[in-house]
Amino acid sequence: MTEVWQPDSLFSRPELWAASFLDEYASDVPGGDRADREEEYDDFEAEYDLGDGYVFRVASGFYGSSLSLRHPGATDPVELGWDDLAHWHPHALRWSEVDLICRATALADPDASYPGPYLALLGRFAPLCTDADAAIAVPLLREAFAALPGLDPYQRRAYAAHGDIRAFGVDWLQDDETGWWYLDYVEQPDNPYRDDPDYPAGDLYSMRDPDDPEFPFAALATAVDRARARCAAVRDQPWSSHPEVEAAARSFAADPTAAHRTALTTALHTAGCTDRSVLSALSPGAGELRALVMTELLLGVDPHTLPRTRSGHAAPPPRRYHAHAYLPVSSSEAPRNGPASQLKPLLNAALRAAGLGTTKHGPARVGRRDGSWVDDLPLTVIDDWRAAIEVIRDVLLTAEAPAGSSIEITRHGETVVVSLD
């Protein structure tokens, strides 16, 4: 069964976010039970309705997400991409397209705040290929995931970077004959991420090929144009061009303080604005970037002009390392619920709370060349590997791991070994 998304109901379901982002170890913490939750909750859909039959739809559940476009020229929705654990093709939309679609959806539906959950879902289908895109998209995505209750620090960081493929060496190109945009590998001699083994690399998987007659390029372009027109229409409202509103909006744009935000809201009320989408984006509880995006629409300035002044340079993609915790054991016979199995959820909880990593498959009992045996706990670490090692070490020491236990992490192609002794 699929339920059409009601935001309030989804906000209370962090396990659905974990499952749709293929975070299979999110429940591998003390008290977690993914199987029970999988049976309890249905899949859900989010719709981005741009009017006149143009509707983007993201369907998410326990096995990934898919993106489709319904438009007047097709009997059924056309799939644009999907992201799962099988034959994924998630590279479907340009960041500028996602930005316009989410802005326009938020203008029509006050519950679809931007940045917010709608961006968190659709943004995974907009690969970040360059620092220019990442400088804008990453802060907006982080604010979107920060608004979701129940996610741990690791989830907020990892999910926001889900579509960051700057290390892949790809970029958007425009077809000479049709003018359609598509993704392809390009020469990037100045790309600092592509040949660094600590940045996650991968392959391009996209259905958006100008040689594919079935991809709905024309319908996609029309849908984005409709989103652009809806955003531009904000400036046509009489309260938007009111002198006091313009002055207050410029003050807030230059210095986004609480006082200037209040002044802008007051000016809008005085000018006769009753649009809940506009006013809620400027409410005291709304994020700073959300308020700046709405201010851009009020002023009619180019998208990202104001958020860019706040975000600065692009942060690099999160570094990703393979780590292992090794616990010496006395024989090759692995008990069903030995010390390693008991330590795994403790390690996972500690790494996630620090925003530094997660567990992987395992544990597994493996033999070493000297004839000894160890239980191997594989881990994924992001960004600060030294801080992650300290977290792992503290957990092992607190749990009184066996003498001779060690931690290994691979960085720059070399293995660093840290002994607990």
Side-chain angles (χ1 to χ4, degrees), residues 2-25:
T2 299
E3 84 173 79
V4 176
W5 182 16
Q6 299 296 323
D8 289 342
S9 66
L10 184 60
F11 285 174
S12 63
R13 301 181 180 181
E15 69 283 345
L16 275 181
W17 288 101
S20 72
F21 273 86
L22 310 173
D23 186 1
E24 55 189 313
Y25 302 102

Side-chain angles (χ1 to χ4, degrees), residues 105-168:
T105 302
L107 287 171
D109 180 0
D111 291 326
S113 59
Y114 178 69
Y118 279 77
L119 175 63
L121 285 173
L122 191 61
R124 70 187 300 161
F125 294 102
L128 304 182
C129 306
T130 65
D131 283 349
D133 276 350
I136 295 300
V138 171
L140 288 165
L141 285 164
R142 286 178 177 171
E143 185 167 302
F145 282 104
L148 300 177
L151 300 187
D152 59 48
Y154 168 77
Q155 290 173 301
R156 298 188 196 282
R157 294 179 67 181
Y159 297 178
H162 187 84
D164 194 333
I165 62 170
R166 282 176 281 173
F168 287 25

Side-chain angles (χ1 to χ4, degrees), residues 73 96 242 347 405:
S96 59
H242 191 282
L347 283 169
S405 296

Side-chain angles (χ1 to χ4, degrees), residues 8 10 22 39 112 132 136 207 226 297 372 387 394:
D8 289 342
L10 184 60
L22 310 173
E39 294 176 1
I136 295 300
M207 298 173 63
R226 292 189 62 81
L297 296 175
S372 64
D394 287 345

Side-chain angles (χ1 to χ4, degrees), residues 336-360:
R336 178 171 296 180
N337 190 28
S341 296
Q342 297 174 26
L343 271 171
K344 182 180 179 182
L346 301 177
L347 283 169
N348 197 26
L351 284 170
R352 285 175 171 272
L356 293 173
T358 179
T359 54
K360 296 173 64 176

